[in-house]
Amino acid sequence: MSRPKSLVRRLFWTGFAAYSAAAAWAEYVHWRSSWSSLGTTQSPAPAGATEAVLVLGYGNRGERANYVNRYRVRAGIRSLDRAADSTLVMCGGTVEGDTPEAVIMERYAREELDYTGRIVLEPDSRSTWENIENAIDLIQDAEVIKIVSNSPHAEVAREYLWQQRPDLAERLVRADEHRFGEIVPMKIGAALRLLLFRWQHR
């Protein structure tokens, strides 16, 4: 009996070490991504500045926001500058369900988080490129722009804004989607997807 127990113990600690290494790597990837492709100035905006916080949706099959979209909406709300004139821009179409992700996220913010601030919707996009392309008219008057998703996805979206409208990308500042120790399994998956994305587009 001692040999099987010893094997189980070794397998447990091997798995724990592998998960810890993956988690540490993912935390670093997300931290680095959260500071990448920002505008040239990161000083706090003056009180009353106009701010657009663009929340990117994730495929949602049901009518209630799924785990990923609930996290992104919470991260979007906490990214708001309380001294700014802020607008939440919910972005996402009908990728996996019949109701646009933008509508589902707005409903979650209003009904479950009791958010009463200004929200505008972009309910037509079906890709990250379209998220940015279709939101330009909604964010172009803002003095400060933040993009919220998981950090690697937000980094890619910021890169797309640099490609489509570099004048607006100059206004990009860091959002508050990355916090150490939060959503670790999701971070590992997102870091792996970024690695695959970079490999496919090298």
Side-chain angles (χ1 to χ4, degrees), residues 45-52 80-87 118 144 146:
T50 54
E51 171 187 71
L80 295 167
D81 185 339
R82 304 305 172 186
D85 179 12
S86 302
T87 300
R118 187 186 307 117
V144 173
K146 298 173 183 174

Side-chain angles (χ1 to χ4, degrees), residues 68-137:
V68 175
N69 283 326
R70 294 198 302 273
Y71 163 73
R72 293 184 184 184
V73 173
R74 294 195 305 271
I77 291 173
R78 76 189 186 199
S79 295
L80 295 167
D81 185 339
R82 304 305 172 186
D85 179 12
S86 302
T87 300
L88 270 178
V89 181
M90 302 299 192
C91 197
T94 53
V95 177
E96 293 190 12
D98 296 328
T99 304
E101 297 155 14
V103 172
I104 292 172
M105 292 191 295
E106 179 195 28
R107 186 185 302 147
Y108 174 67
R110 297 294 194 201
E111 298 179 2
E112 300 192 46
L113 300 181
D114 297 322
Y115 180 73
T116 59
R118 187 186 307 117
I119 297 178
V120 297
L121 305 183
E122 186 289 293
D124 299 318
S125 59
R126 299 176 60 84
S127 68
T128 306
W129 180 269
E130 290 182 4
N131 285 158
I132 300 304
E133 185 175 46
N134 295 341
I136 283 175
D137 286 344

Side-chain angles (χ1 to χ4, degrees), residues 6-24 188:
S6 176
L7 177 61
V8 169
R9 195 178 302 115
R10 287 199 300 272
L11 289 174
F12 170 80
W13 286 112
T14 300
F16 178 78
Y19 177 80
S20 298
I188 294 173

